[in-house]
Amino acid sequence: MRAVNRTVTATAAAFLFAATAPALAADYPPPANPGKLPAASKKGRKLVVCKRGCRFRTIQAAIQQATGRDLIVVKPGTYREGVRILGRRYDGLRIVGDPRRPRRVRLDGRGLRGASAQNAFFVNAADRVTIRGFYARNYKANCFFVVNVDGYTLDRLVAERCGAYGVYAFNSKGGTMSNSEAYYNNDAGFYIGQTPPQKGRKKRSFVTNVKAYLNVLGFSGTNMRYVTIRRSQFFNNGAGIVPNALRTEKFPPPEENVIADNDVFWNNFNYYRGAPFKIPERGPAGLSAYPIGIGVLLFGSQDTVVEGNRIFGNWLLGFGAVQQFELAQSNDPKLKEAATLRNNVVRSNRFGLGGRDLNGRDLGYDGSGTGNCFEANELTSPVPTIGPAAAYPPCPGPAANSANPEVLAQAAQWLAVQDPKKPETFEQFWLRHPHAPRTGVRPIEHFGQ
């Protein structure tokens, strides 16, 4: 019996570790200390970019002449370039396209080579940069990417068909992603990762009023901290929202995050049946393929609140929480601690849309960790919880939670059948239910259906 349990646990660990993706390997600069915010700059110049009749015909040409005091205004058109904003000279720079109709100001990476082909906008070590009102597509790495910064504003953006992430912040503090959409990205539509730990009053990052659809993951956050995701929609992705702890990036685990007042639905996009992007062959570290059909998954999170969300129509699982098994097996005590689910609160979420759009299963929690609790959630699916309801303790959470082996066994079953060469295997454990109509959106399980 002990041998069987070890097999189930190890297999489940492989499945769950594969549920998340670290930042894809690319020629990114090494992480650096984002530093402190400089004093506010005086008012600068307005530099105008347009295809014909302006001083600047490319965005990069304007940036070469700009400092952080300036405003760069970009007129409608298609710009085939990769924009780079590098260093403290650009602290506070604002770059604005068309906030009301961002698709009119396009950056297209098709046909570009070298560094220009990697990111539509790349901001490194320039604090408080604003990028607003742009549409980016067809870049090999990311559409909009900021790294090593203290403060950023990414607003009214459209990110389509980039090689890793649509809108991406890494090793940074205190930014906003808002009023934007991301789709057809072969990792995550939105991503915040490797947030440096802070003491005292933390600088939070806010993801507000965004839409992510037809990505592998709607939102991913490896080792993210102090992030609030609110009033947004994550639908028709392989999985919806996935904070996670991995050793491939610094500062595990994800902690002090809030996921509140979001619509997380229909995340059953089986991209192995076809996708408008390069289909991932394997999960991270050569393990199993990604799971498909999950709304929200916490993988090694601490002090995270999941509250007031509407989670429905996800045919594998609505919400899941599991310890990070790969880190739990480490000899490093810090990594072992980072693997632990601790003080996570799941409350007042509405699952299954009042019975009108059911999840396959509403809740799955492996019972590990300490202080994790569930309160006032509306469960309506025929399988409301994996395992007994007693494994989902009320708030405040107990000093020690109790293991739920049924979740591990279920995960092992899911993993055992998944084969990227047989796309239908990713749907074997789905529990399908009719979807409630939703204005302007239709459910998509297979691209082109």
PDB file of all heavy atoms in Angstrom, residues 126-145:
ATOM      1  N   ALA A 126      13.981  51.097 -16.600  1.00  0.00           N
ATOM      2  CA  ALA A 126      13.428  52.447 -16.742  1.00  0.00           C
ATOM      3  C   ALA A 126      12.116  52.468 -15.956  1.00  0.00           C
ATOM      4  O   ALA A 126      11.160  51.781 -16.337  1.00  0.00           O
ATOM      5  CB  ALA A 126      13.200  52.804 -18.204  1.00  0.00           C
ATOM      6  N   ASP A 127      12.061  53.222 -14.873  1.00  0.00           N
ATOM      7  CA  ASP A 127      10.918  53.198 -13.968  1.00  0.00           C
ATOM      8  C   ASP A 127       9.788  54.097 -14.463  1.00  0.00           C
ATOM      9  O   ASP A 127      10.023  55.097 -15.138  1.00  0.00           O
ATOM     10  CB  ASP A 127      11.338  53.670 -12.571  1.00  0.00           C
ATOM     11  CG  ASP A 127      12.377  52.759 -11.943  1.00  0.00           C
ATOM     12  OD1 ASP A 127      12.437  51.578 -12.320  1.00  0.00           O
ATOM     13  OD2 ASP A 127      13.126  53.234 -11.061  1.00  0.00           O
ATOM     14  N   ARG A 128       8.572  53.719 -14.074  1.00  0.00           N
ATOM     15  CA  ARG A 128       7.358  54.525 -14.295  1.00  0.00           C
ATOM     16  C   ARG A 128       7.124  54.847 -15.760  1.00  0.00           C
ATOM     17  O   ARG A 128       6.573  55.887 -16.098  1.00  0.00           O
ATOM     18  CB  ARG A 128       7.421  55.819 -13.477  1.00  0.00           C
ATOM     19  CG  ARG A 128       7.462  55.607 -11.981  1.00  0.00           C
ATOM     20  CD  ARG A 128       7.516  56.919 -11.217  1.00  0.00           C
ATOM     21  NE  ARG A 128       8.789  57.596 -11.441  1.00  0.00           N
ATOM     22  CZ  ARG A 128       8.924  58.715 -12.116  1.00  0.00           C
ATOM     23  NH1 ARG A 128       7.871  59.301 -12.686  1.00  0.00           N
ATOM     24  NH2 ARG A 128      10.109  59.272 -12.266  1.00  0.00           N
ATOM     25  N   VAL A 129       7.511  53.962 -16.650  1.00  0.00           N
ATOM     26  CA  VAL A 129       7.209  54.154 -18.078  1.00  0.00           C
ATOM     27  C   VAL A 129       5.743  53.801 -18.316  1.00  0.00           C
ATOM     28  O   VAL A 129       5.220  52.816 -17.783  1.00  0.00           O
ATOM     29  CB  VAL A 129       8.130  53.280 -18.952  1.00  0.00           C
ATOM     30  CG1 VAL A 129       7.658  53.282 -20.408  1.00  0.00           C
ATOM     31  CG2 VAL A 129       9.568  53.773 -18.845  1.00  0.00           C
ATOM     32  N   THR A 130       5.063  54.603 -19.129  1.00  0.00           N
ATOM     33  CA  THR A 130       3.678  54.356 -19.525  1.00  0.00           C
ATOM     34  C   THR A 130       3.638  53.984 -21.000  1.00  0.00           C
ATOM     35  O   THR A 130       4.187  54.702 -21.842  1.00  0.00           O
ATOM     36  CB  THR A 130       2.809  55.594 -19.289  1.00  0.00           C
ATOM     37  OG1 THR A 130       2.738  55.860 -17.885  1.00  0.00           O
ATOM     38  CG2 THR A 130       1.399  55.395 -19.837  1.00  0.00           C
ATOM     39  N   ILE A 131       2.978  52.885 -21.302  1.00  0.00           N
ATOM     40  CA  ILE A 131       2.714  52.485 -22.684  1.00  0.00           C
ATOM     41  C   ILE A 131       1.209  52.301 -22.807  1.00  0.00           C
ATOM     42  O   ILE A 131       0.624  51.455 -22.122  1.00  0.00           O
ATOM     43  CB  ILE A 131       3.462  51.189 -23.055  1.00  0.00           C
ATOM     44  CG1 ILE A 131       4.967  51.364 -22.854  1.00  0.00           C
ATOM     45  CG2 ILE A 131       3.159  50.789 -24.502  1.00  0.00           C
ATOM     46  CD1 ILE A 131       5.763  50.083 -23.024  1.00  0.00           C
ATOM     47  N   ARG A 132       0.569  53.089 -23.650  1.00  0.00           N
ATOM     48  CA  ARG A 132      -0.897  53.108 -23.698  1.00  0.00           C
ATOM     49  C   ARG A 132      -1.376  53.220 -25.146  1.00  0.00           C
ATOM     50  O   ARG A 132      -0.869  54.018 -25.929  1.00  0.00           O
ATOM     51  CB  ARG A 132      -1.410  54.297 -22.877  1.00  0.00           C
ATOM     52  CG  ARG A 132      -2.912  54.497 -22.931  1.00  0.00           C
ATOM     53  CD  ARG A 132      -3.378  55.641 -22.041  1.00  0.00           C
ATOM     54  NE  ARG A 132      -3.332  55.277 -20.630  1.00  0.00           N
ATOM     55  CZ  ARG A 132      -2.645  55.915 -19.703  1.00  0.00           C
ATOM     56  NH1 ARG A 132      -1.895  56.975 -20.043  1.00  0.00           N
ATOM     57  NH2 ARG A 132      -2.667  55.526 -18.449  1.00  0.00           N
ATOM     58  N   GLY A 133      -2.351  52.374 -25.487  1.00  0.00           N
ATOM     59  CA  GLY A 133      -3.040  52.532 -26.758  1.00  0.00           C
ATOM     60  C   GLY A 133      -2.331  51.922 -27.958  1.00  0.00           C
ATOM     61  O   GLY A 133      -2.297  52.554 -29.021  1.00  0.00           O
ATOM     62  N   PHE A 134      -1.819  50.667 -27.814  1.00  0.00           N
ATOM     63  CA  PHE A 134      -1.123  50.018 -28.921  1.00  0.00           C
ATOM     64  C   PHE A 134      -1.633  48.583 -29.124  1.00  0.00           C
ATOM     65  O   PHE A 134      -2.153  47.948 -28.200  1.00  0.00           O
ATOM     66  CB  PHE A 134       0.389  49.960 -28.661  1.00  0.00           C
ATOM     67  CG  PHE A 134       1.061  51.286 -28.716  1.00  0.00           C
ATOM     68  CD1 PHE A 134       1.236  52.037 -27.559  1.00  0.00           C
ATOM     69  CD2 PHE A 134       1.532  51.798 -29.918  1.00  0.00           C
ATOM     70  CE1 PHE A 134       1.858  53.278 -27.597  1.00  0.00           C
ATOM     71  CE2 PHE A 134       2.155  53.038 -29.974  1.00  0.00           C
ATOM     72  CZ  PHE A 134       2.316  53.777 -28.808  1.00  0.00           C
ATOM     73  N   TYR A 135      -1.420  48.111 -30.342  1.00  0.00           N
ATOM     74  CA  TYR A 135      -1.758  46.740 -30.731  1.00  0.00           C
ATOM     75  C   TYR A 135      -0.478  46.094 -31.253  1.00  0.00           C
ATOM     76  O   TYR A 135       0.135  46.598 -32.212  1.00  0.00           O
ATOM     77  CB  TYR A 135      -2.843  46.789 -31.805  1.00  0.00           C
ATOM     78  CG  TYR A 135      -3.180  45.517 -32.534  1.00  0.00           C
ATOM     79  CD1 TYR A 135      -3.038  44.261 -31.956  1.00  0.00           C
ATOM     80  CD2 TYR A 135      -3.695  45.580 -33.829  1.00  0.00           C
ATOM     81  CE1 TYR A 135      -3.380  43.105 -32.648  1.00  0.00           C
ATOM     82  CE2 TYR A 135      -4.051  44.434 -34.534  1.00  0.00           C
ATOM     83  CZ  TYR A 135      -3.879  43.199 -33.930  1.00  0.00           C
ATOM     84  OH  TYR A 135      -4.213  42.066 -34.620  1.00  0.00           O
ATOM     85  N   ALA A 136      -0.033  45.014 -30.616  1.00  0.00           N
ATOM     86  CA  ALA A 136       1.199  44.334 -31.024  1.00  0.00           C
ATOM     87  C   ALA A 136       0.896  42.885 -31.372  1.00  0.00           C
ATOM     88  O   ALA A 136       0.060  42.240 -30.737  1.00  0.00           O
ATOM     89  CB  ALA A 136       2.231  44.402 -29.902  1.00  0.00           C
ATOM     90  N   ARG A 137       1.622  42.388 -32.397  1.00  0.00           N
ATOM     91  CA  ARG A 137       1.400  41.009 -32.813  1.00  0.00           C
ATOM     92  C   ARG A 137       2.649  40.462 -33.514  1.00  0.00           C
ATOM     93  O   ARG A 137       3.482  41.198 -34.010  1.00  0.00           O
ATOM     94  CB  ARG A 137       0.203  40.917 -33.765  1.00  0.00           C
ATOM     95  CG  ARG A 137       0.351  41.743 -35.036  1.00  0.00           C
ATOM     96  CD  ARG A 137      -0.922  41.762 -35.850  1.00  0.00           C
ATOM     97  NE  ARG A 137      -0.759  42.568 -37.069  1.00  0.00           N
ATOM     98  CZ  ARG A 137      -1.744  42.863 -37.897  1.00  0.00           C
ATOM     99  NH1 ARG A 137      -2.977  42.438 -37.640  1.00  0.00           N
ATOM    100  NH2 ARG A 137      -1.524  43.584 -38.979  1.00  0.00           N
ATOM    101  N   ASN A 138       2.750  39.129 -33.478  1.00  0.00           N
ATOM    102  CA  ASN A 138       3.746  38.406 -34.271  1.00  0.00           C
ATOM    103  C   ASN A 138       5.191  38.661 -33.840  1.00  0.00           C
ATOM    104  O   ASN A 138       6.097  38.716 -34.676  1.00  0.00           O
ATOM    105  CB  ASN A 138       3.605  38.739 -35.765  1.00  0.00           C
ATOM    106  CG  ASN A 138       2.252  38.348 -36.320  1.00  0.00           C
ATOM    107  OD1 ASN A 138       1.699  37.317 -35.960  1.00  0.00           O
ATOM    108  ND2 ASN A 138       1.695  39.191 -37.177  1.00  0.00           N
ATOM    109  N   TYR A 139       5.429  38.769 -32.539  1.00  0.00           N
ATOM    110  CA  TYR A 139       6.803  38.867 -32.042  1.00  0.00           C
ATOM    111  C   TYR A 139       7.227  37.521 -31.459  1.00  0.00           C
ATOM    112  O   TYR A 139       6.405  36.771 -30.921  1.00  0.00           O
ATOM    113  CB  TYR A 139       6.934  39.993 -31.018  1.00  0.00           C
ATOM    114  CG  TYR A 139       6.886  41.343 -31.695  1.00  0.00           C
ATOM    115  CD1 TYR A 139       5.664  41.938 -32.010  1.00  0.00           C
ATOM    116  CD2 TYR A 139       8.059  41.985 -32.078  1.00  0.00           C
ATOM    117  CE1 TYR A 139       5.614  43.162 -32.675  1.00  0.00           C
ATOM    118  CE2 TYR A 139       8.013  43.209 -32.746  1.00  0.00           C
ATOM    119  CZ  TYR A 139       6.789  43.782 -33.040  1.00  0.00           C
ATOM    120  OH  TYR A 139       6.753  44.980 -33.718  1.00  0.00           O
ATOM    121  N   LYS A 140       8.507  37.217 -31.552  1.00  0.00           N
ATOM    122  CA  LYS A 140       8.986  35.884 -31.202  1.00  0.00           C
ATOM    123  C   LYS A 140       8.978  35.621 -29.703  1.00  0.00           C
ATOM    124  O   LYS A 140       8.826  34.475 -29.277  1.00  0.00           O
ATOM    125  CB  LYS A 140      10.397  35.676 -31.764  1.00  0.00           C
ATOM    126  CG  LYS A 140      10.439  35.626 -33.279  1.00  0.00           C
ATOM    127  CD  LYS A 140      11.851  35.380 -33.791  1.00  0.00           C
ATOM    128  CE  LYS A 140      11.867  35.299 -35.319  1.00  0.00           C
ATOM    129  NZ  LYS A 140      13.242  35.070 -35.846  1.00  0.00           N
ATOM    130  N   ALA A 141       9.160  36.644 -28.898  1.00  0.00           N
ATOM    131  CA  ALA A 141       9.173  36.457 -27.451  1.00  0.00           C
ATOM    132  C   ALA A 141       7.883  36.974 -26.828  1.00  0.00           C
ATOM    133  O   ALA A 141       6.979  36.207 -26.528  1.00  0.00           O
ATOM    134  CB  ALA A 141      10.402  37.137 -26.839  1.00  0.00           C
ATOM    135  N   ASN A 142       7.761  38.282 -26.656  1.00  0.00           N
ATOM    136  CA  ASN A 142       6.609  38.862 -25.977  1.00  0.00           C
ATOM    137  C   ASN A 142       6.102  40.076 -26.747  1.00  0.00           C
ATOM    138  O   ASN A 142       6.841  40.709 -27.498  1.00  0.00           O
ATOM    139  CB  ASN A 142       7.011  39.307 -24.565  1.00  0.00           C
ATOM    140  CG  ASN A 142       7.793  38.238 -23.839  1.00  0.00           C
ATOM    141  OD1 ASN A 142       7.249  37.227 -23.432  1.00  0.00           O
ATOM    142  ND2 ASN A 142       9.103  38.449 -23.679  1.00  0.00           N
ATOM    143  N   CYS A 143       4.843  40.405 -26.506  1.00  0.00           N
ATOM    144  CA  CYS A 143       4.321  41.623 -27.116  1.00  0.00           C
ATOM    145  C   CYS A 143       4.766  42.852 -26.325  1.00  0.00           C
ATOM    146  O   CYS A 143       5.404  43.755 -26.861  1.00  0.00           O
ATOM    147  CB  CYS A 143       2.806  41.549 -27.208  1.00  0.00           C
ATOM    148  SG  CYS A 143       2.163  40.361 -28.413  1.00  0.00           S
ATOM    149  N   PHE A 144       4.448  42.900 -25.023  1.00  0.00           N
ATOM    150  CA  PHE A 144       4.815  44.030 -24.167  1.00  0.00           C
ATOM    151  C   PHE A 144       5.559  43.467 -22.955  1.00  0.00           C
ATOM    152  O   PHE A 144       5.014  42.640 -22.218  1.00  0.00           O
ATOM    153  CB  PHE A 144       3.569  44.800 -23.718  1.00  0.00           C
ATOM    154  CG  PHE A 144       2.735  45.322 -24.863  1.00  0.00           C
ATOM    155  CD1 PHE A 144       1.700  44.558 -25.383  1.00  0.00           C
ATOM    156  CD2 PHE A 144       3.000  46.566 -25.420  1.00  0.00           C
ATOM    157  CE1 PHE A 144       0.930  45.033 -26.451  1.00  0.00           C
ATOM    158  CE2 PHE A 144       2.235  47.046 -26.476  1.00  0.00           C
ATOM    159  CZ  PHE A 144       1.200  46.274 -26.997  1.00  0.00           C
ATOM    160  N   PHE A 145       6.787  43.912 -22.729  1.00  0.00           N
ATOM    161  CA  PHE A 145       7.652  43.292 -21.726  1.00  0.00           C
ATOM    162  C   PHE A 145       8.391  44.363 -20.934  1.00  0.00           C
ATOM    163  O   PHE A 145       9.098  45.195 -21.505  1.00  0.00           O
ATOM    164  CB  PHE A 145       8.646  42.378 -22.441  1.00  0.00           C
ATOM    165  CG  PHE A 145       9.657  41.687 -21.552  1.00  0.00           C
ATOM    166  CD1 PHE A 145       9.383  41.389 -20.230  1.00  0.00           C
ATOM    167  CD2 PHE A 145      10.890  41.325 -22.069  1.00  0.00           C
ATOM    168  CE1 PHE A 145      10.309  40.743 -19.431  1.00  0.00           C
ATOM    169  CE2 PHE A 145      11.831  40.673 -21.280  1.00  0.00           C
ATOM    170  CZ  PHE A 145      11.542  40.388 -19.957  1.00  0.00           C
TER     171      PHE A 145
END
